[in-house]
Amino acid sequence: MPRTVYYTATTLDGYIADPSDSLEWLLRQPNEEPDEAFFAGIGAIVMGATTYEWLLRNLDGPWPYSMPAWVMTHRELPLPAKDSELSDENPDIRFAKGGGNRRSLRSDVHGDRGS
């Protein structure tokens, strides 16, 4: 059966970003090694526009995700710069601007299991 996992880092007051819309607080925390088994089971990631814009402004290197990334927004947003040294392909980033993309998002997250 398909499942959805909500995995996030939040402050004690329940926010992902600080009052300045920054994730700097998160980068100051002790660094844990990524759980490769967990990431291997992810079909897609979902983030809000503010998180996406923060990532674009603060990326030091190529886009960090290999799986499709859905960005929830009502605005037009740019794609990250392509790192031609590492790949000829742009990252798989999709912008969702309402409820019309839910079936496609579910298909990305769950693959054939999501019907």
Side-chain angles (χ1 to χ4, degrees):
M1 169 182 268
R3 66 186 183 129
T4 300
V5 176
Y6 180 71
Y7 181 79
T8 186
T10 58
T11 57
L12 290 175
D13 60 3
Y15 291 96
I16 296 171
D18 68 16
S20 302
D21 287 333
S22 175
L23 299 175
E24 284 294 325
W25 71 269
L26 181 58
L27 301 177
R28 292 190 301 266
Q29 304 309 307
N31 197 5
E32 295 179 15
E33 290 297 315
D35 181 350
E36 297 300 328
F38 174 76
F39 283 107
I42 295 175
I45 61 169
V46 180
M47 68 182 73
T50 302
T51 299
Y52 175 75
E53 290 175 309
W54 189 90
L55 281 169
L56 290 183
R57 284 191 310 272
N58 293 280
L59 274 178
D60 185 23
W63 182 249
Y65 304 106
S66 59
M67 70 282 295
W70 284 84
V71 179
M72 302 297 147
T73 184
H74 62 278
R75 299 176 280 133
E76 295 295 323
L77 296 172
L79 289 170
K82 183 167 59 169
D83 188 340
S84 59
E85 292 179 17
L86 298 177
S87 173
D88 291 333
E89 298 179 20
N90 285 321
D92 188 356
I93 299 172
R94 303 160 192 211
F95 300 101
K97 298 179 180 182
N101 291 326
R102 281 182 293 171
R103 182 173 299 266
S104 182
L105 172 59
R106 185 174 63 201
S107 174
D108 280 353
V109 172
H110 299 295
D112 294 334
R113 302 168 294 167
S115 4

